[in-house]
Amino acid sequence: MSETFQNFIDGKWVPARSGKTFENRNPANQDELVGAFPDSDESDVNAAVAAARRAYESWRLVPAPKRAEIVRRAASLLEAQKEDLARLMTREMGKVLAETRGDVQEAIDCGFFAAGEGRRLYGDTAPSEMPNKAAYSVRMPVGVCAMITPWNFPMAIPSWKIFPALVCGNTVVFKPATDTPASAAKFVGVLAEAGAPDGVINFLTGGGREVGAPLAAHPDVRVVSFTGSSEVGRVLARECGTRLKRLSLELGGKNAQIVMEDANLDLALEGVLWGAFGTTGQRCTATSRLILHRPIAGVFLERLVEAARALKVGDGLDPSTQVGPLVNEGQRETTASYVEIGKKEGAELVCGGEPVKGPGFDRGFFYRPTVFAKVRPNMRLAREEIFGPVLSVLTVDSFEEAIHVQNDTPYGLSSSIYTQDVNRAMRAIRDIEAGITYVNGPTIGAEVHMPFGGVKDTGNGHREASHTVLDIFTEWKTVYIDYSGKLQRAQIDNH
Ligand code: NAD
């Protein structure tokens, strides 16, 4: 059952101006068409940005609690449609139903959390250094925001950006990844149904170069919020840098789980299986490296290999499936190429390392959960993001070495340590270079009311989710009101 989808510009569903479309197919079964979507270009971008620019002038004046009511209604509508949306998402990008339900739930949580900000958006008041003078600060909207998103969290990631941006009084042009435009269209449909005025939310499907690039470069776009690869992040950073445009980047990761000799090994095993092979390894926070303390390394690896082999790979709609397909052939090829790289580098392939073949698997992008042992920190396998079900195991002799190896990567998104020793845990929290550290939990599991983002090549210092997201989508205005009736010169008249 496939649908024909459209762009959403100025409150209307419209095809691409060129009339061109592209198709999207189920990664578990390429014979199943999910939908046809507008293959947009710069002329569609210009129309969407113009609509957003016009709408901004009235939307910014709507009181924030009223803007937030629309977001709250959208979250309620998502709640009512959760199951249908999750099933569509699994057909569109492959991850198992429990996870796509979680993805929609994250958008719901984010909607309710962002709606609460409508009645906060707190600023500061402070005493002035001059008599008869007031000083305070307020958050102002910024203008038109471009939201460019990846395919691995088709609804959660757009919700992190769009809900708070709207509550703050901005208008939006949203471009999702070409692998997940259906979930994105449903998300936009919900906002329209919830009462977002014409032009407040606009939506375009199409390629990164054809839509994403002109959108980010458009002079009327004031904020670009991007989640995706570091490679594209760098391109956008150059573009936005020369135009002095605000840019928030959420990029790649090479996250590690450390398991010390005193850890609860059952817990650590459960954690690494979920962290490495959940979403088929296609999470920015996926566990891509496992750092084992030598005293438990042998026994842990043995148990890991046995458990990874037993994971059930298949169609994400089947409730017994634990690992769905990769999102597309390119992603499977990347995974396979890293397996070859790992073998050439001298790592030991101990599990998986090949596509799943046979009846039921031929028309999908299935790949076996893969584990490499004897990985060394300088190998590409240990340094580069793979974004597939491949786990690299490194062995260390001490806690200090574990922290050093954990930090020895260009990225710094998520991290994890399993230990029962509170002193070690506290030192790890202090010394690990990452935006997120879990103690006795896997590297995945972010919650919407806590800051999300990373250090080093993972981003450029912003944090989505939590109240910290407001710093991306508002400008501070500082206000001084002088009621003394005379000129008062700060730093001069009072010294
Ligand atoms: P990608 O960078 O290829 O694409 C992301 C988005 O950017 C897509 O919508 C794409 O069409 C668009 N795009 C591509 N080229 C562009 C250009 N020149 N100008 C403007 N837009 C362009 O990433 P992907 O393959 O969709 O997603 C996987 C990547 O996303 C991984 O590196 C992963 O780590 C990262 N990711 C990061 C986070 C995080 O929060 N840190 C979360 C999820 C995914």
Side-chain angles (χ1 to χ4, degrees):
M1 172 197 32
S2 86
E3 247 182 272
T4 299
F5 289 81
Q6 297 197 304
N7 288 334
F8 191 66
I9 300 177
D10 210 8
K12 287 174 207 64
W13 293 100
V14 291
R17 295 191 164 210
S18 67
K20 287 190 195 153
T21 58
F22 66 93
E23 287 184 347
N24 200 14
R25 291 176 177 273
N26 182 342
N29 175 11
Q30 282 295 282
D31 295 333
E32 185 190 327
L33 185 65
V34 174
F37 302 86
D39 198 359
S40 314
D41 61 27
E42 192 166 355
S43 66
D44 304 296
V45 169
N46 291 339
V49 174
R53 183 77 195 85
R54 277 195 303 276
Y56 176 66
E57 289 312 325
S58 43
W59 182 244
R60 72 185 177 88
L61 301 177
V62 174
K66 289 280 157 203
R67 296 192 297 246
E69 276 175 23
I70 292 172
V71 168
R72 183 172 48 73
R73 269 202 297 279
S76 298
L77 288 167
L78 289 176
E79 208 165 29
Q81 300 168 27
K82 180 174 166 182
E83 190 59 23
D84 288 348
L85 294 170
R87 297 190 88 81
L88 173 67
M89 196 186 290
T90 294
R91 286 174 52 223
E92 181 174 47
M93 61 73 72
K95 65 185 174 184
V96 299
L97 206 44
E99 291 188 46
T100 51
R101 287 186 188 123
D103 194 307
V104 181
Q105 187 59 47
E106 200 167 319
I108 296 166
D109 294 343
C110 182
F112 288 131
F113 181 76
E117 277 306 327
R119 288 190 183 272
R120 285 187 295 267
L121 282 180
Y122 293 138
D124 294 322
T125 58
S128 166
E129 67 180 56
M130 313 301 287
N132 299 316
K133 192 174 170 188
Y136 66 95
S137 61
V138 285
R139 288 188 182 273
M140 309 285 286
V142 194
V144 178
C145 303
M147 313 301 201
I148 303 177
T149 57
W151 43 263
N152 61 342
F153 281 86
M155 211 167 270
I157 290 178
S159 80
W160 289 2
K161 300 178 189 301
I162 294 171
F163 283 153
L166 294 180
V167 170
C168 291
N170 305 286
T171 55
V172 167
V173 180
F174 168 30
K175 191 213 96 65
T178 44
D179 282 304
T180 49
S183 300
K186 297 290 176 189
F187 179 80
V188 170
V190 154
L191 267 168
E193 196 184 335
D198 294 353
V200 164
I201 170 81
N202 304 276
F203 168 70
L204 299 170
T205 58
R209 268 191 219 100
E210 298 74 13
V211 180
L215 176 59
H218 197 294
D220 284 342
V221 167
R222 302 287 302 277
V223 180
V224 178
S225 178
F226 172 80
T227 300
S229 60
S230 296
E231 186 192 346
V232 176
R234 284 197 172 86
V235 172
L236 290 174
R238 277 195 293 276
E239 179 66 47
C240 294
T242 54
R243 292 169 193 265
L244 300 180
K245 209 176 260 203
R246 184 178 299 182
L247 169 69
S248 82
L249 295 174
E250 295 285 350
L251 309 174
K254 188 71 188 173
N255 317 291
Q257 174 177 319
I258 298 171
V259 183
M260 296 305 298
E261 107 282 348
D262 65 339
N264 176 333
L265 296 189
D266 295 335
L267 200 63
L269 181 63
E270 232 183 335
V272 72
L273 288 170
W274 174 229
F277 303 120
T279 325
T280 321
Q282 303 167 112
R283 287 196 188 211
C284 50
T285 52
T287 310
S288 190
R289 299 177 297 149
L290 175 66
I291 302 173
L292 296 178
H293 197 189
R294 197 171 303 279
I296 50 90
V299 61
F300 194 85
L301 183 63
E302 222 167 87
R303 291 183 61 190
L304 169 67
V305 168
E306 192 186 320
R309 280 203 188 114
L311 288 172
K312 184 164 181 255
V313 181
D315 186 334
L317 287 178
D318 176 343
S320 67
T321 296
Q322 291 167 293
V323 182
L326 288 150
V327 72
N328 55 37
E329 183 55 31
Q331 212 59 35
R332 186 163 69 171
E333 275 167 15
T334 305
T335 302
S337 77
Y338 273 99
V339 168
E340 288 314 307
I341 289 167
K343 286 186 200 161
K344 280 204 193 91
E345 284 180 315
E348 185 186 350
L349 180 65
V350 287
C351 165
E354 56 182 6
V356 188
K357 298 195 189 85
F361 295 103
D362 297 346
R363 300 292 297 143
F365 307 121
F366 299 99
Y367 203 88
R368 290 199 188 284
T370 298
V371 180
F372 274 99
K374 299 195 178 142
V375 177
R376 288 189 307 279
N378 60 350
M379 290 180 179
R380 288 180 64 190
L381 213 49
R383 307 189 70 77
E384 297 175 16
E385 186 179 54
I386 301 174
F387 231 57
V390 180
L391 179 66
S392 298
V393 182
L394 300 98
T395 304
V396 294
D397 288 305
S398 65
F399 171 79
E400 288 70 23
E401 191 186 352
I403 299 294
H404 176 78
V405 169
Q406 136 68 44
N407 288 342
D408 191 11
T409 142
Y411 296 106
L413 183 51
S414 188
S415 58
S416 148
I417 180 161
Y418 282 75
T419 177
Q420 312 269 25
D421 178 341
V422 68
N423 301 324
R424 273 181 178 158
M426 294 304 288
R427 281 164 62 203
I429 292 165
R430 185 192 61 196
D431 295 339
I432 287 177
E433 294 167 359
I436 307 167
T437 296
Y438 292 89
V439 176
N440 294 327
T443 60
I444 64 182
E447 300 179 26
V448 302
H449 52 295
M450 299 302 288
F452 183 91
V455 303
K456 302 198 286 192
D457 287 1
T458 292
N460 60 347
H462 293 282
R463 292 292 181 273
E464 292 191 326
S466 174
H467 60 85
T468 49
V469 71
L470 303 177
D471 292 333
I472 301 173
F473 296 116
T474 56
E475 294 276 14
W476 282 111
K477 174 167 284 183
T478 306
V479 183
Y480 298 102
I481 304 173
D482 192 323
Y483 50 97
S484 70
K486 58 183 185 209
L487 173 67
Q488 298 199 87
R489 297 174 302 174
Q491 296 93 36
I492 297 171
D493 291 340
N494 53 351
H495 284 281

